Amino acid sequence: MERERTGAIRAVLIDIDGVLTVSWEPLPGAVEAMERLRAAGLPLALVTNTTSRTRASICSRLADAGFPVAVDDILTAPAVTAAHLREHHPGARCLLLNAGDIQEDLAGVTFVEPEAHADVDVDVVVVGGAGDEFGYAALNRVFHHLQRGAHLVAMHRNLYWRTADGLDLDAGAFLLGLERAARVEASITGKPSEAFFAAALAHLGADASETLMVGDDIESDVLAAQRSGITGVLVRTGKYLPETHRSAEGTPDHVLDSFAALPDLLERPASDSR
């Protein structure tokens, strides 16, 4: 079931992976749906926990696929993480564990070499997206730094994501182990943190009550947005699983088969918004 929620939507937040694309291939009807949103003049931002690419790289990939996007439309967990580190840990020596080169979006942050041993001073451990870099040696190195007092900052808690080959394990699975072993709690900078959605709203200059968030992750995308006062739309693509939907602790405002159906939802009269 969906929650009954009415009111004019004047801005849209859109997850990328699993909503617009899977393995960077456009999902059916996604390009056309975004073109319709552009034609309607709706301000929009693409908000993603993707940590393997810079904003410029993401924009280039999406534009090549036909999506009408610009770099300024994209807000990533790494970019928000950089702002968090500059504000809360100015001048800190940071160790980054992440798959992919995102240094361009981490301007103003000081990083030590990834192979830094436990005797190298590290103030903050920053965990991004999982990949081959998350081997035993790297995780154990992070564990040692946490034991020595380093703060733990994570770009997200995603347990898995959808690829062309199915669901792949993500950093959240490793993060749970690090937190429990080191007896620390990570500060989360990407979705589902309230700070991330606040940054997205500020980016668009939009009020939460007039903004809609569409995503494939019921917890990190949809329910988290609703806790910030944003209308939440869940799509049955990407990482969507019926059992996760059924067991969730909240109910999306709307559930759609795919992003392709979003323009029609936005064009419905308020009295028929469900």
Side-chain angles (χ1 to χ4, degrees), residues 48-190:
T48 176
N49 278 348
T50 297
T51 58
S52 60
R53 293 175 177 269
T54 63
R55 294 169 66 228
S57 174
I58 292 171
C59 177
S60 176
R61 193 68 183 260
L62 292 175
D64 287 346
F67 289 99
V69 298
V71 172
D72 286 346
D73 296 323
I74 299 170
L75 185 65
T76 66
V80 174
T81 299
H84 172 88
L85 293 171
R86 291 192 298 265
E87 178 181 355
H88 297 283
H89 302 280
R93 292 167 55 83
C94 302
L95 175 68
L96 176 65
L97 179 60
N98 180 67
D101 183 6
I102 54 173
Q103 293 293 333
E104 180 181 322
D105 286 344
L106 296 171
V109 180
T110 300
F111 289 99
V112 303
E113 291 297 320
E115 294 79 16
H117 294 288
D119 58 353
V120 175
D121 288 337
V122 170
D123 302 308
V124 183
V125 170
V126 182
V127 176
D132 293 340
E133 294 81 357
F134 281 61
Y136 176 80
L139 289 167
N140 198 41
R141 205 154 40 234
V142 165
F143 177 50
H144 288 163
H145 288 301
L146 295 176
Q147 291 180 86
R148 288 166 58 91
H151 296 277
L152 180 59
V153 173
M155 297 185 190
H156 60 73
R157 286 192 178 277
N158 296 356
L159 296 173
Y160 49 81
W161 81 96
R162 173 74 64 179
T163 72
D165 298 322
L167 296 177
D168 279 3
L169 202 62
D170 208 345
F174 301 97
L175 185 63
L176 288 169
L178 288 171
E179 288 179 313
R180 183 168 181 179
R183 298 181 182 180
V184 299
E185 183 175 352
S187 297
I188 307 301
T189 53

Side-chain angles (χ1 to χ4, degrees), residues 183-209:
R183 298 181 182 180
V184 299
E185 183 175 352
S187 297
I188 307 301
T189 53
K191 296 177 294 182
S193 73
E194 291 184 8
F196 186 92
F197 288 104
L201 291 173
H203 181 75
L204 289 179
D207 293 331
S209 62

Side-chain angles (χ1 to χ4, degrees), residues 172-252:
F174 301 97
L175 185 63
L176 288 169
L178 288 171
E179 288 179 313
R180 183 168 181 179
R183 298 181 182 180
V184 299
E185 183 175 352
S187 297
I188 307 301
T189 53
K191 296 177 294 182
S193 73
E194 291 184 8
F196 186 92
F197 288 104
L201 291 173
H203 181 75
L204 289 179
D207 293 331
S209 62
E210 298 176 337
T211 302
L212 176 148
M213 170 71 203
V214 55
D216 64 326
D217 187 318
I218 189 170
E219 297 291 345
S220 293
D221 292 337
V222 180
L223 300 184
Q226 290 177 187
R227 287 193 292 271
S228 292
I230 299 167
T231 299
V233 177
L234 178 67
V235 291
R236 297 188 183 98
T237 55
K239 67 169 62 173
Y240 173 87
L241 294 172
E243 55 267 34
T244 304
H245 185 180
R246 287 193 297 268
S247 64
E249 296 184 356
T251 303

